[in-house]
Amino acid sequence: MLAFLVFFAWRVSPWACLVLMIPLVLDGFRQKLTAYESTNRRRLVTGVLFGYGLYTLFAHSTVWAFQFGYNLL
């Protein structure tokens, strides 16, 4: 399991993960503050980007936690 997380965690930097999450947040705030309504295709694309960014950020944090714990021993 850890090898699976390591394989995907180091493909994208943590900063890029945060950048991948921005379009969903911007689209959501745009809908909340204006009369604009997003299309299903846009929701799909921003949702996939956000999901991948969140998963990869979680993988980074899991790997770092394991490495930190391992270094304490």
Side-chain angles (χ1 to χ4, degrees):
M1 174 76 169
L2 184 59
F4 180 75
L5 289 175
V6 170
F7 177 74
F8 284 105
W10 303 118
R11 294 262 185 213
V12 179
S13 75
W15 294 110
C17 295
L18 294 174
V19 169
L20 286 173
M21 296 165 76
I22 290 173
L24 182 112
V25 174
L26 292 178
D27 190 46
F29 274 113
R30 183 177 174 193
Q31 288 185 80
K32 182 168 178 63
L33 299 175
T34 65
Y36 167 80
E37 185 154 346
S38 182
T39 63
N40 286 338
R41 182 172 294 159
R42 181 168 300 200
R43 288 180 185 169
L44 175 68
V45 170
T46 59
V48 167
L49 290 174
F50 187 88
Y52 182 73
L54 185 64
Y55 162 74
T56 309
L57 198 60
F58 175 74
H60 272 289
S61 66
T62 303
V63 168
W64 288 332
F66 274 109
Q67 287 176 347
F68 180 75
Y70 183 76
N71 290 335
L72 287 178
L73 296 176

